[in-house]
Amino acid sequence: MTVEITSHEELRELLGTPGVRAASKDRARLHERDRQWLAASPFCLVATAGADGTCDVSPKGDPAGFALVLDDTTIALPERPGNKRADGYRNILDNPHVGLLFLIPGRTDTLRINGRARLVRDAPWFDDMVVKGHRPVLAVVVEIEQIFYHCAKAFLRSALWQPETWQPDVLPTRARLIKEVEAPPESLEDLERHYGPEYARKIYT
């Protein structure tokens, strides 16, 4: 029998009360250590939700330090050329609330930032986000409302950074997955060429 949780009270009764440290660790301004973390992080997950509640989580990555600190309560994330779906960006236009999770490879803790986002198509500081000669397509400016560090338990349980647990070949190649799942008109050979060595050389164009 499935037993569903339907109230905050039930949830709290099941999980218990958070400790003082967990309950009070969030802040609203960047600490110097936060700035150092952002300077070392090459990867971020951006969570958004549309006006109708439809959710999206999008990975963003660039050389370490790609998240530009504008001031103690504001950061900006550059957007590079992609698949043009813009799911998260369309959500932001309807609902500015975002959640960010910044990772540092090998670290088992993470930096979480929640706030309100807006889309900017150009600004003088775009010049500070140039990579390999390319300026961002746009930028997501996030006004920080909540920032805190998240503990290591999820990474320790998953053994994410332990190479002996990695199984990159557990599924077929990206090209074969697309061919089998999405059934595009391109041949498998064409897809393999597209996602071959040349793919990595064109990620900023």
Side-chain angles (χ1 to χ4, degrees), residues 178-191:
I178 289 175
K179 188 63 177 176
E180 293 178 3
V181 176
E182 301 174 11
E186 296 91 341
S187 69
L188 178 60
E189 292 73 22
D190 287 341
L191 291 170

Side-chain angles (χ1 to χ4, degrees), residues 52-99:
D52 61 355
T54 303
C55 296
D56 180 74
V57 178
S58 180
K60 302 297 179 185
D62 247 338
F66 74 101
L68 182 66
V69 175
L70 300 180
D71 58 46
D72 284 346
T73 59
T74 316
I75 64 172
L77 303 177
E79 169 67 1
R80 308 299 178 184
N83 61 17
K84 300 179 176 61
R85 282 182 58 103
D87 298 291
Y89 296 145
R90 288 186 286 111
N91 284 347
I92 288 172
L93 291 175
D94 294 333
N95 173 10
H97 297 283
V98 298

Side-chain angles (χ1 to χ4, degrees), residues 19-52:
V20 175
R21 187 189 307 168
S24 62
K25 66 181 178 178
D26 53 299
R27 300 163 278 111
R29 302 178 69 86
L30 290 168
H31 185 280
E32 180 57 30
R33 293 300 190 190
D34 304 330
R35 290 173 176 260
Q36 292 171 3
W37 187 285
L38 293 173
S41 175
F43 185 83
C44 174
L45 295 170
V46 180
T48 60
D52 61 355

Side-chain angles (χ1 to χ4, degrees), residues 147-194:
I147 180 171
F148 58 94
Y149 290 98
H150 196 99
C151 74
K153 291 178 182 176
F155 285 82
L156 294 174
R157 290 169 180 149
S158 66
L160 184 68
W161 301 125
Q162 297 179 23
E164 63 271 21
T165 70
W166 297 351
Q167 301 181 64
D169 298 325
V170 69
L171 287 168
T173 64
R174 166 74 171 158
R176 187 173 292 278
L177 278 176
I178 289 175
K179 188 63 177 176
E180 293 178 3
V181 176
E182 301 174 11
E186 296 91 341
S187 69
L188 178 60
E189 292 73 22
D190 287 341
L191 291 170
E192 292 284 10
R193 277 193 296 273
H194 176 76

Side-chain angles (χ1 to χ4, degrees), residues 124-153:
W125 39 263
F126 271 43
D127 292 336
D128 298 325
M129 296 193 292
V130 171
V131 174
K132 296 185 178 181
H134 297 279
R135 297 176 97 243
V137 176
L138 58 84
V140 181
V141 176
V142 179
E143 303 291 339
I144 297 171
E145 297 178 330
Q146 186 182 46
I147 180 171
F148 58 94
Y149 290 98
H150 196 99
C151 74
K153 291 178 182 176

